[in-house]
């Protein structure tokens, strides 16, 4: 979202930002699964936005449905790059982030995890070094949730959620049975815990999704 200015009032500094219309993807997922074609159209736009950021060596680090707005005309806006930074090593950290609020206090101190637990990549949850592949993991989680209409990693506590991120395999049976093999393969590549085996470039995901949409095979391929 665009920043229109940095203002100060009564010794407090704040940002004047664009008001993005529409509902968050979090609210949309709460209403149930998106039709496959609509979900892929949204995912292509998210991928394109991440592609722009990654081209500038910026990783979002807190990509989640609550940070993506969907307007009435189907356009998306990626919000809240508050944790974004240029790719570089991170300090080792221990679990301390919830499934809803994003951790912002003392975010530069060692021993603190940045992000939101249910959408953290495994390496981020462990406090390891992050790069663009962290956003690709979160992108995969969001796409899975759009198609399934429910949360992928939803533990009772923060600790349970982080444990699921680190150990639990996605429930592939929750996805539409008619989903194409190419789309399933894309999700599997985005959700590889070992980032060396994960899809490396979000542009590759965008290209695959555009091909699926163009071919019209998303709901018909055996």
């Amino acid at each position: 979202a665009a920043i229109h200015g940095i203002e100060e009032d009564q010794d407090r500094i704040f940002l004047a930002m664009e008001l993005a219309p529409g509902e968050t993807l979090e609210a949309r997922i709460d209403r149930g699964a998106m039709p496959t074609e609509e979900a892929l159209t949204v995912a292509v736009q998210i991928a394109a936005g991440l592609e722009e950021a990654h081209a500038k060596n910026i990783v979002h680090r807190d990509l989640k449905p609550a940070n993506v707005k969907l307007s009435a005309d189907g356009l998306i806006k990626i919000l809240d790059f508050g944790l974004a930074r240029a790719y570089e090593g991170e300090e080792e950290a221990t679990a301390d982030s919830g499934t809803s609020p994003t951790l912002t206090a003392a975010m530069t101190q060692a021993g603190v995890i940045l992000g939101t637990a249910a959408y953290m990549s495994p390496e981020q949850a462990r406090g390891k070094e992050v790069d663009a592949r962290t956003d690709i993991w979160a992108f995969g989680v969001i796409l899975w949730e759009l198609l399934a209409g429910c949360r992928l990693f939803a533990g009772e506590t923060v600790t349970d959620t982080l444990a699921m991120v680190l150990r639990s395999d996605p429930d592939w049976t929750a996805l539409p049975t008619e989903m194409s093999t190419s789309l399933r393969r894309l999700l599997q590549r985005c959700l590889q815990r070992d980032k060396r085996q994960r899809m490396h470039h979000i542009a590759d995901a965008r290209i695959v999704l555009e091909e699926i949409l163009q071919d019209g095979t998303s709901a018909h391929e055996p």
Side-chain angles (χ1 to χ4, degrees):
I3 297 177
H4 297 301
I6 302 176
E7 311 293 340
E8 184 173 357
D9 180 62
Q10 297 180 0
D11 297 325
R12 299 187 69 178
I13 297 175
F14 61 91
L15 300 177
M17 298 183 68
E18 169 190 3
L19 177 61
E23 67 176 350
T24 65
L25 288 187
E26 181 180 45
R28 178 60 185 84
I29 291 169
D30 286 342
R31 301 206 314 271
M34 254 188 194
T36 301
E37 184 175 353
E38 182 182 355
L40 299 192
T41 301
V42 168
V44 165
Q45 294 182 71
I46 297 173
L50 291 176
E51 189 177 349
E52 288 289 332
H54 293 173
K56 297 175 176 62
N57 290 335
I58 296 295
V59 59
H60 190 290
R61 298 200 303 173
D62 195 24
L63 183 66
K64 57 187 177 182
N67 281 343
V68 182
K69 278 285 193 77
L70 177 64
S71 69
D73 55 5
L75 299 178
I76 70 100
K77 177 83 70 170
I78 302 175
L79 308 175
D80 199 357
F81 276 74
L83 299 185
R85 63 187 297 178
Y87 304 159
E88 58 182 320
E90 300 286 353
E91 297 288 342
E92 294 288 323
T94 57
D96 193 35
S97 182
T99 56
S100 295
T102 296
L103 191 70
T104 55
M107 60 174 58
T108 60
Q109 297 179 8
V112 174
I113 283 183
L114 306 182
T116 302
Y119 302 94
M120 286 183 183
S121 65
E123 63 271 16
Q124 189 179 16
R126 290 189 173 101
K128 303 292 185 179
E129 181 178 351
V130 302
D131 57 25
R133 290 168 290 182
T134 283
D135 285 346
I136 291 173
W137 170 277
F139 170 82
V141 174
I142 291 172
L143 180 53
W144 188 99
E145 292 183 350
L146 289 174
L147 293 166
C150 60
R151 307 300 175 189
L152 177 50
F153 302 112
E156 184 176 348
T157 67
V158 174
T159 302
D160 293 335
T161 299
L162 289 172
M164 292 178 69
V165 169
L166 293 172
R167 298 186 182 91
S168 297
D169 292 329
D171 180 7
W172 301 110
T173 64
L175 297 173
T177 56
E178 73 278 7
M179 193 176 75
S180 71
T181 54
S182 54
L183 179 53
R184 185 179 297 270
R185 191 178 303 117
L186 171 64
L187 279 168
Q188 290 170 339
R189 292 187 63 196
C190 290
L191 295 174
Q192 288 287 333
R193 283 197 173 81
D194 184 347
K195 67 179 182 180
R196 297 172 300 177
Q197 304 302 320
R198 195 178 308 150
M199 182 168 283
H200 280 39
H201 303 289
I202 193 65
D204 294 333
R206 175 185 56 76
I207 291 169
V208 171
L209 292 170
E210 287 176 341
E211 288 176 345
I212 294 173
L213 284 168
Q214 183 177 4
D215 293 342
T217 59
S218 59
H220 302 292
E221 182 178 329

